[in-house]
Amino acid sequence: MKVYIIGAGPGDPDLITVKGLKLLQQADVILWTDSLVNEALINRAKPDAEVLKTAGMTLEEMVDIMAERVKQGKVVVRVHTGDPAVYGAILEQMVLLKQQGIEYEIVPGVSSVFAAAAALGAELTVPDLTQTLILTRAEGRTPVPEREKLKDLASHHCTIALFLSATLVKKVVEDFLAAGWRPDTPVAVVYRASWPDQKIIHSTLEQLADDMRENGIRSHAMILAGWALDPEITDKNQFRSKLYDAAFTHRFRRGVSS
Ligand SMILES: C[S@@+](CC[C@H](N)C(=O)[O-])C[C@H]1O[C@@H](n2cnc3c(N)ncnc32)[C@H](O)[C@@H]1O
């Protein structure tokens, strides 16, 4: 028996994986992050499942409950928002579970970064423009290691996804500009991606702070920056991958010779 650490997806209850949903429906005990996971998803559990909110618990309380229930032979599911591997604080849970001799398995989920890209209709890795996506956060109360400062990451001029940064946009903009980004670089913000009250803002570096303030966005937002977010990119027909290029031979298709 083990603890299943499941990604709930970004909000829409249909965006959980089939595997995650099956486990949720089999679970005897469910611990869920009530501040970010959609209750409509948790309501798909068995009617007699023990459902516990974790927002008010300490790490030790949470792990003790999981370990105890597993030892009682119960199916225990810990539900995290998005994908558990990204800012999920799962490592500390796994460390303590391991100390208690409890195994765990992670079931991935749709991260908010990809729900936001979907909401925007964006490809984040555009051929000839950028082939790199950096997932990071601005430095606030939680420190960021010295070698990962936003200004240094931004020097790559790729697509940058910022989690947990909605209240720190002034500093974010300063760092991007210091790294040589143009003030008119596109920035898209998706508030509560995939929820019924989802909001999308197309902005630029120079407008970002004002646009966030005017829209009252201070949390639960994914900020995506870089030219892949150009709202007019679909009118340009400028960037093509090699994959479907008639002259490009690959394992599944021979090139067309002229
Ligand atoms: C603690 S992190 C969890 C991230 C999560 N593990 C994931 O993969 O999306 C919370 C941050 O994720 C982002 N986030 C989570 N859900 C979101 C959503 N539905 N729409 C936009 N951003 C979201 C926000 O930046 C929020 O501050």
Side-chain angles (χ1 to χ4, degrees):
M1 293 295 273
K2 53 188 163 187
V3 171
Y4 294 94
I5 299 172
I6 292 179
D12 178 345
D14 285 352
L15 285 178
I16 190 170
T17 63
V18 175
K19 185 167 184 171
L21 182 60
K22 281 183 183 165
L23 285 163
L24 185 80
Q25 289 171 331
Q26 287 162 16
D28 302 309
V29 184
I30 295 167
L31 293 96
W32 66 296
T33 317
D34 43 309
S35 52
L36 286 166
V37 172
N38 194 335
E39 191 160 17
L41 178 64
I42 303 304
N43 290 341
R44 295 185 186 173
K46 292 193 295 195
D48 59 343
E50 183 187 13
V51 178
L52 302 166
K53 296 180 177 179
T54 56
M57 289 185 193
T58 64
L59 171 67
E60 284 75 14
E61 282 166 355
M62 195 164 53
V63 172
D64 285 349
I65 291 172
M66 293 193 279
E68 190 186 279
R69 304 297 194 272
V70 168
K71 285 174 190 162
Q72 290 167 355
K74 296 188 170 159
V75 177
V76 177
V77 161
R78 168 78 177 102
V79 186
H80 278 270
T81 178
D83 185 280
V86 189
Y87 303 112
I90 57 170
L91 176 61
E92 60 215 58
Q93 298 173 52
M94 296 187 294
V95 167
L96 295 193
L97 285 170
K98 195 172 176 194
Q99 279 177 11
Q100 299 208 31
I102 305 289
E103 290 183 22
Y104 46 81
E105 178 180 334
I106 301 173
V107 178
V110 176
S111 175
S112 56
V113 61
F114 301 118
L120 293 163
E123 175 166 1
L124 302 179
T125 54
V126 175
D128 297 329
L129 186 61
T130 176
Q131 289 293 281
T132 303
L133 165 64
I134 293 178
L135 308 183
T136 189
R137 66 181 298 168
E139 186 164 35
R141 279 196 306 163
T142 306
V144 165
E146 191 55 40
R147 58 192 179 278
E148 295 174 20
K149 298 295 175 196
L150 193 52
K151 181 171 166 285
D152 298 329
L153 299 180
S155 70
H156 294 288
H157 292 261
C158 56
T159 304
I160 300 196
L162 290 159
F163 292 74
L164 298 157
S165 303
T167 55
L168 301 163
V169 284
K170 276 202 174 138
K171 179 74 174 60
V172 165
V173 170
E174 274 171 31
D175 285 345
F176 279 114
L177 293 176
W181 287 45
R182 277 174 31 189
D184 62 343
T185 305
V187 182
V189 181
V190 184
Y191 168 74
R192 284 171 67 84
S194 86
W195 290 76
D197 56 348
Q198 167 184 290
K199 207 187 260 188
I200 290 178
I201 301 173
H202 287 286
S203 186
T204 57
L205 269 189
E206 59 196 337
Q207 280 297 320
L208 184 63
D210 288 347
D211 287 345
M212 296 277 284
R213 197 179 45 248
E214 275 164 26
N215 285 279
I217 297 178
R218 295 190 51 78
S219 65
H220 220 152
M222 176 56 55
I223 301 171
L224 290 164
W227 284 96
L229 284 311
D230 179 357
E232 284 157 25
I233 201 165
T234 44
D235 300 322
K236 292 185 177 160
N237 198 7
Q238 186 183 347
F239 305 105
R240 295 267 177 106
S241 78
K242 295 265 183 281
L243 195 59
Y244 303 109
D245 184 333
F248 188 70
T249 309
H250 57 70
R251 199 153 69 89
F252 300 104
R253 195 194 55 231
R254 286 176 186 280
V256 179
S257 48
S258 50

